[in-house]
Amino acid sequence: MKKVALLSFIFSTIWIVSILFVLSESFARFFMKASDTWQHVVSVTLPSITQSTLILVFGTMILTGLLGVVSAYFVVTFEFKFRRLIRFLLYFPLAIPPYIFAYVLTHFMGYTGWMQTTLRSFGIFAPQWFEWNRMVIAILVFSLTLYPYVYISTKSFLERFMGNYVETARTLGSRSTGIFFKIALPLAMNAFIGGMVLVALEVLGDYGTVVFLNVPTFSIAIFRSWFALRDFDSALRLAGLLLIIVFVILIIEHILRKNTKQVMPANIRPLKRKQMKGIKHIAILIYFFTIIFLALGLPLMHLISWAFITFNRIYWLDFGSQLYNTMFLGLVVTGSIVVIGFIVGNYTRLKNTPWSVVVSKITLLGYSIPGSVMAILVLFAFITLSRQFGLILTTGLGMLIYGLIIRYLGLGYQNIEWGFKKIGLKNNEISQTLGKTYLQGLFQIEVPLLKPSLLAAFALVFIDVIKELPMTLNLRPFNYHTLATQVYQYAGDERLFEAAIPSLAIIIISMIFLYPVIASVNKED
């Protein structure tokens, strides 16, 4: 056991040092002499992108929070027709990348789209708002694709702990509205805050959606400084500022969670759902069908119709190559993350020391860093290593794989760490009393118990990797295309219809991997 702990410590330390090496450059830039264009960026670009980014983030958080928590409350508290199906379908918008949904929604609301065409057939001419208010469309896109983060965390918490309080409140004559504001929302506040923070980080890290809708954000400013102005210094400084915003968000989350005191019931009572009838029943069905249609039905209907139109215009050999690259990249990165997460998670549970806490926090840090920031930091780190050792490290696939591992390790590690906490060390200790070594107990007894956590980590990381755009776009080798980069290229060439088939491939693969996770969550709840 001591040898395993020592080897895990050495591996974890090496990995953490490599992460810190990548992240250090963005902060080191603030202590160096600035480039000539940095003052222009500070005076002209920075105020506008800061304002636009904050509006986008907070607007999305408000709408996402509303959709997620209300949907979770309805599903947990009320019994209505199609509830089981609706509960299942509400997860699937996670499989649709926001940039793909942005392409569909922009076309739907455009002059030649279904909305304005239908309105004109009745003699109604839509105002310019439908087509040109890009910020509103961006907030709507992010809200409809990211609300499952809030829905999942809030729903799971309410299903476990709300039964004790709701039954008592109902016997005292409380109405559903009062139960929501006085019991459900305060009770699930920690889960709600966690989901909202994930939404904020996803919005800050997006590139494909904001560049298509031309919403000025930090991600766009970083890439324009990098490629258009050829000013690597300004790009790194902007990346550092975005990292500071991320850290501020994480600190605020920690303070809010710390100040939210909750008393969990000792004995959990199952919640008896209230049967909906009459107008309320119809209203709740309309609410859910509207969300599911907008978030799931609308993009799938458009993409399927576009796929039939462009079926004969697709170069299938190129599509096969892109599909292979996507699956290969996803499997390699995801497999590596599961292995690294398993080793680090095993170390942090064996050693309850200050260093193990640092290892855990830094491992989780990567997932909170936007892809645009991670791309530029990884590239600079590999350029530095190439100069130091006289090697060419920036032209292969290794740089992209390494960057994706750092970016998504936190997601996989979090699931694996939670699995280790659930099983504890008692099973391994019992196996050692029966003559087995620690490693034998780990692989023969604990790994089978960890199977749900390992599968969840694998599925969630794989889905994020195949949807990833900014890092893949900027760290890939020359002429290396995945489904995501091909969709982006089609959209940039104004060939939205041709983007349908690779977009559908991403969504279908994501749904396939998402299904067992959803089934496991619903079964546990």
Side-chain angles (χ1 to χ4, degrees), residues 129-147:
W129 177 88
F130 281 108
E131 193 169 358
W132 297 114
N133 198 322
R134 301 293 185 173
M135 179 63 76
V136 173
I137 296 176
I139 291 174
L140 190 59
V141 165
F142 284 122
S143 299
L144 288 172
T145 53
L146 300 178
Y147 80 84

Side-chain angles (χ1 to χ4, degrees), residues 39-50 216-217 221 225 229 238:
Q39 290 302 321
H40 170 78
V41 172
V42 171
S43 60
V44 178
T45 307
L46 192 58
S48 62
I49 64 171
T50 303
T217 61
S225 298
L229 300 178
L238 287 169

Side-chain angles (χ1 to χ4, degrees), residues 50-182:
T50 303
Q51 180 185 14
S52 180
T53 301
L54 292 177
I55 291 172
L56 181 61
V57 169
F58 284 108
T60 302
M61 288 175 70
I62 291 170
L63 185 54
T64 303
L66 184 64
L67 291 174
V69 75
V70 170
S71 299
Y73 177 72
F74 284 169
V75 166
V76 171
T77 311
F78 301 124
E79 186 64 52
F80 48 88
K81 201 169 185 179
F82 308 118
R83 191 190 73 87
R84 289 182 178 274
L85 177 62
I86 289 171
R87 181 183 69 164
F88 192 77
L89 292 176
L90 286 171
Y91 290 94
F92 276 112
L94 277 180
I96 302 178
Y99 54 87
I100 292 177
F101 189 53
Y103 306 154
V104 171
L105 191 62
T106 304
H107 184 272
F108 174 73
M109 299 178 73
Y111 185 79
T112 59
W114 291 358
M115 177 183 285
Q116 293 202 42
T117 302
T118 304
L119 290 174
R120 284 197 301 273
S121 67
F122 291 98
I124 303 172
F125 290 87
Q128 290 293 318
W129 177 88
F130 281 108
E131 193 169 358
W132 297 114
N133 198 322
R134 301 293 185 173
M135 179 63 76
V136 173
I137 296 176
I139 291 174
L140 190 59
V141 165
F142 284 122
S143 299
L144 288 172
T145 53
L146 300 178
Y147 80 84
Y149 285 119
V150 180
Y151 167 74
I152 292 169
S153 59
T154 308
K155 170 182 166 292
S156 298
F157 201 89
L158 292 179
E159 283 188 324
R160 285 176 173 86
F161 301 112
M162 200 170 71
N164 300 61
Y165 303 100
V166 171
E167 295 301 327
T168 305
R170 284 174 178 170
T171 59
L172 295 174
S174 296
R175 294 180 175 272
S176 298
T177 307
I179 292 173
F180 174 76
F181 286 106
K182 295 179 181 179

Side-chain angles (χ1 to χ4, degrees), residues 142-253:
F142 284 122
S143 299
L144 288 172
T145 53
L146 300 178
Y147 80 84
Y149 285 119
V150 180
Y151 167 74
I152 292 169
S153 59
T154 308
K155 170 182 166 292
S156 298
F157 201 89
L158 292 179
E159 283 188 324
R160 285 176 173 86
F161 301 112
M162 200 170 71
N164 300 61
Y165 303 100
V166 171
E167 295 301 327
T168 305
R170 284 174 178 170
T171 59
L172 295 174
S174 296
R175 294 180 175 272
S176 298
T177 307
I179 292 173
F180 174 76
F181 286 106
K182 295 179 181 179
I183 297 176
L185 197 56
L187 186 66
M189 187 55 68
N190 274 342
F192 176 71
I193 291 171
M196 294 280 277
V197 169
L198 282 176
V199 170
L201 296 176
E202 288 286 342
V203 174
L204 286 173
D206 180 84
Y207 177 71
T209 307
V210 293
V211 75
F212 178 75
L213 295 174
N214 197 25
V215 177
T217 61
F218 272 90
S219 294
I220 292 180
I222 289 170
F223 283 118
R224 285 180 178 169
S225 298
W226 184 354
F227 293 107
L229 300 178
R230 300 292 180 184
D231 185 1
F232 211 59
D233 178 76
S234 294
L236 281 169
R237 289 172 185 272
L238 287 169
L241 290 175
L242 187 52
L243 275 180
I244 292 173
I245 293 175
V246 169
F247 292 151
V248 169
I249 291 173
L250 295 177
I251 291 170
I252 293 173
E253 179 204 16

Side-chain angles (χ1 to χ4, degrees), residues 390-404:
L391 302 172
I392 301 176
L393 302 174
T394 57
T395 57
L397 197 58
M399 182 169 63
L400 174 58
I401 292 173
Y402 179 75
L404 289 171

